[in-house]
PDB file of all heavy atoms in Angstrom:
ATOM      1  N   ASN A 146     118.051 134.534  90.374  1.00 43.00           N
ATOM      2  CA  ASN A 146     117.787 133.621  91.517  1.00 43.00           C
ATOM      3  C   ASN A 146     118.425 132.283  91.303  1.00 43.00           C
ATOM      4  O   ASN A 146     118.756 131.565  92.256  1.00 43.00           O
ATOM      5  CB  ASN A 146     116.318 133.448  91.738  1.00 43.00           C
ATOM      6  CG  ASN A 146     115.658 134.653  92.352  1.00 43.00           C
ATOM      7  OD1 ASN A 146     116.376 135.527  92.939  1.00 43.00           O
ATOM      8  ND2 ASN A 146     114.386 134.821  92.192  1.00 43.00           N
ATOM      9  N   LYS A 147     118.583 131.828  90.055  1.00 44.00           N
ATOM     10  CA  LYS A 147     119.179 130.509  89.846  1.00 44.00           C
ATOM     11  C   LYS A 147     120.646 130.464  90.180  1.00 44.00           C
ATOM     12  O   LYS A 147     121.168 129.402  90.469  1.00 44.00           O
ATOM     13  CB  LYS A 147     118.937 130.039  88.398  1.00 44.00           C
ATOM     14  CG  LYS A 147     119.739 130.788  87.400  1.00 44.00           C
ATOM     15  CD  LYS A 147     119.488 130.282  85.984  1.00 44.00           C
ATOM     16  CE  LYS A 147     120.291 130.983  84.953  1.00 44.00           C
ATOM     17  NZ  LYS A 147     120.113 130.502  83.649  1.00 44.00           N
ATOM     18  N   ASN A 148     121.359 131.628  90.246  1.00 42.00           N
ATOM     19  CA  ASN A 148     122.745 131.666  90.602  1.00 42.00           C
ATOM     20  C   ASN A 148     122.948 131.787  92.093  1.00 42.00           C
ATOM     21  O   ASN A 148     124.067 131.610  92.586  1.00 42.00           O
ATOM     22  CB  ASN A 148     123.466 132.817  89.890  1.00 42.00           C
ATOM     23  CG  ASN A 148     123.491 132.555  88.416  1.00 42.00           C
ATOM     24  OD1 ASN A 148     123.493 131.367  87.938  1.00 42.00           O
ATOM     25  ND2 ASN A 148     123.543 133.651  87.605  1.00 42.00           N
ATOM     26  N   LYS A 149     121.910 132.077  92.820  1.00 41.00           N
ATOM     27  CA  LYS A 149     122.082 132.171  94.301  1.00 41.00           C
ATOM     28  C   LYS A 149     121.729 130.842  94.939  1.00 41.00           C
ATOM     29  O   LYS A 149     120.795 130.144  94.535  1.00 41.00           O
ATOM     30  CB  LYS A 149     121.084 133.206  94.837  1.00 41.00           C
ATOM     31  CG  LYS A 149     121.463 134.635  94.572  1.00 41.00           C
ATOM     32  CD  LYS A 149     120.447 135.552  95.248  1.00 41.00           C
ATOM     33  CE  LYS A 149     120.770 136.969  95.068  1.00 41.00           C
ATOM     34  NZ  LYS A 149     119.795 137.841  95.721  1.00 41.00           N
ATOM     35  N   ASN A 150     122.459 130.498  95.954  1.00 44.00           N
ATOM     36  CA  ASN A 150     122.056 129.348  96.715  1.00 44.00           C
ATOM     37  C   ASN A 150     121.351 129.800  97.999  1.00 44.00           C
ATOM     38  O   ASN A 150     121.349 130.961  98.290  1.00 44.00           O
ATOM     39  CB  ASN A 150     123.216 128.385  96.998  1.00 44.00           C
ATOM     40  CG  ASN A 150     124.374 129.043  97.753  1.00 44.00           C
ATOM     41  OD1 ASN A 150     124.185 130.087  98.346  1.00 44.00           O
ATOM     42  ND2 ASN A 150     125.535 128.458  97.603  1.00 44.00           N
ATOM     43  N   LYS A 151     120.728 128.904  98.710  1.00 48.00           N
ATOM     44  CA  LYS A 151     119.859 129.278  99.814  1.00 48.00           C
ATOM     45  C   LYS A 151     120.568 129.925 100.987  1.00 48.00           C
ATOM     46  O   LYS A 151     120.007 130.720 101.710  1.00 48.00           O
ATOM     47  CB  LYS A 151     119.060 128.097 100.241  1.00 48.00           C
ATOM     48  CG  LYS A 151     118.106 127.640  99.243  1.00 48.00           C
ATOM     49  CD  LYS A 151     117.274 126.472  99.732  1.00 48.00           C
ATOM     50  CE  LYS A 151     116.323 126.067  98.644  1.00 48.00           C
ATOM     51  NZ  LYS A 151     115.493 125.024  99.042  1.00 48.00           N
ATOM     52  N   ASN A 152     121.811 129.607 101.175  1.00 56.00           N
ATOM     53  CA  ASN A 152     122.487 130.184 102.330  1.00 56.00           C
ATOM     54  C   ASN A 152     123.191 131.481 102.031  1.00 56.00           C
ATOM     55  O   ASN A 152     123.804 132.076 102.890  1.00 56.00           O
ATOM     56  CB  ASN A 152     123.519 129.194 102.988  1.00 56.00           C
ATOM     57  CG  ASN A 152     124.612 128.857 102.005  1.00 56.00           C
ATOM     58  OD1 ASN A 152     124.760 129.401 100.908  1.00 56.00           O
ATOM     59  ND2 ASN A 152     125.436 127.877 102.435  1.00 56.00           N
ATOM     60  N   GLY A 153     123.097 132.025 100.821  1.00 60.00           N
ATOM     61  CA  GLY A 153     123.574 133.328 100.507  1.00 60.00           C
ATOM     62  C   GLY A 153     125.114 133.349 100.145  1.00 60.00           C
ATOM     63  O   GLY A 153     125.648 134.422  99.860  1.00 60.00           O
ATOM     64  N   LEU A 154     125.786 132.220 100.148  1.00 62.00           N
ATOM     65  CA  LEU A 154     127.156 132.175  99.842  1.00 62.00           C
ATOM     66  C   LEU A 154     127.321 132.462  98.344  1.00 62.00           C
ATOM     67  O   LEU A 154     126.706 131.873  97.498  1.00 62.00           O
ATOM     68  CB  LEU A 154     127.738 130.804 100.172  1.00 62.00           C
ATOM     69  CG  LEU A 154     129.246 130.626  99.912  1.00 62.00           C
ATOM     70  CD1 LEU A 154     130.084 131.466 100.865  1.00 62.00           C
ATOM     71  CD2 LEU A 154     129.623 129.197 100.040  1.00 62.00           C
ATOM     72  N   VAL A 155     128.256 133.329  98.049  1.00 68.00           N
ATOM     73  CA  VAL A 155     128.577 133.689  96.675  1.00 68.00           C
ATOM     74  C   VAL A 155     129.893 133.130  96.224  1.00 68.00           C
ATOM     75  O   VAL A 155     130.064 132.570  95.163  1.00 68.00           O
ATOM     76  CB  VAL A 155     128.511 135.222  96.444  1.00 68.00           C
ATOM     77  CG1 VAL A 155     128.880 135.567  95.010  1.00 68.00           C
ATOM     78  CG2 VAL A 155     127.177 135.779  96.799  1.00 68.00           C
ATOM     79  N   TYR A 156     130.898 133.213  97.077  1.00 71.00           N
ATOM     80  CA  TYR A 156     132.248 132.856  96.684  1.00 71.00           C
ATOM     81  C   TYR A 156     133.046 132.434  97.919  1.00 71.00           C
ATOM     82  O   TYR A 156     132.864 133.007  98.994  1.00 71.00           O
ATOM     83  CB  TYR A 156     132.936 134.019  96.000  1.00 71.00           C
ATOM     84  CG  TYR A 156     134.392 133.661  95.540  1.00 71.00           C
ATOM     85  CD1 TYR A 156     134.533 132.932  94.388  1.00 71.00           C
ATOM     86  CD2 TYR A 156     135.437 134.084  96.235  1.00 71.00           C
ATOM     87  CE1 TYR A 156     135.845 132.591  93.924  1.00 71.00           C
ATOM     88  CE2 TYR A 156     136.725 133.779  95.828  1.00 71.00           C
ATOM     89  CZ  TYR A 156     136.886 133.054  94.652  1.00 71.00           C
ATOM     90  OH  TYR A 156     138.147 132.770  94.209  1.00 71.00           O
ATOM     91  N   SER A 157     133.903 131.463  97.804  1.00 71.00           N
ATOM     92  CA  SER A 157     134.750 131.027  98.910  1.00 71.00           C
ATOM     93  C   SER A 157     136.153 130.861  98.344  1.00 71.00           C
ATOM     94  O   SER A 157     136.328 130.293  97.229  1.00 71.00           O
ATOM     95  CB  SER A 157     134.265 129.706  99.530  1.00 71.00           C
ATOM     96  OG  SER A 157     135.224 129.295 100.523  1.00 71.00           O
ATOM     97  N   THR A 158     137.193 131.237  99.101  1.00 81.00           N
ATOM     98  CA  THR A 158     138.548 131.064  98.740  1.00 81.00           C
ATOM     99  C   THR A 158     139.139 129.731  99.161  1.00 81.00           C
ATOM    100  O   THR A 158     140.208 129.367  98.782  1.00 81.00           O
ATOM    101  CB  THR A 158     139.441 132.201  99.266  1.00 81.00           C
ATOM    102  OG1 THR A 158     139.321 132.212 100.680  1.00 81.00           O
ATOM    103  CG2 THR A 158     139.011 133.544  98.721  1.00 81.00           C
ATOM    104  N   ASN A 159     138.382 128.963 100.009  1.00 79.00           N
ATOM    105  CA  ASN A 159     138.826 127.686 100.495  1.00 79.00           C
ATOM    106  C   ASN A 159     138.703 126.672  99.362  1.00 79.00           C
ATOM    107  O   ASN A 159     137.614 126.377  98.934  1.00 79.00           O
ATOM    108  CB  ASN A 159     137.998 127.267 101.693  1.00 79.00           C
ATOM    109  CG  ASN A 159     138.434 125.995 102.332  1.00 79.00           C
ATOM    110  OD1 ASN A 159     139.358 125.287 101.809  1.00 79.00           O
ATOM    111  ND2 ASN A 159     137.872 125.656 103.453  1.00 79.00           N
TER     112      ASN A 159
END
Side-chain angles (χ1 to χ4, degrees):
N146 287 339
K147 69 180 183 177
N148 292 334
K149 287 185 179 179
N150 56 22
K151 292 183 180 182
N152 63 6
L154 180 70
V155 177
Y156 182 78
S157 174
T158 57
N159 184 353

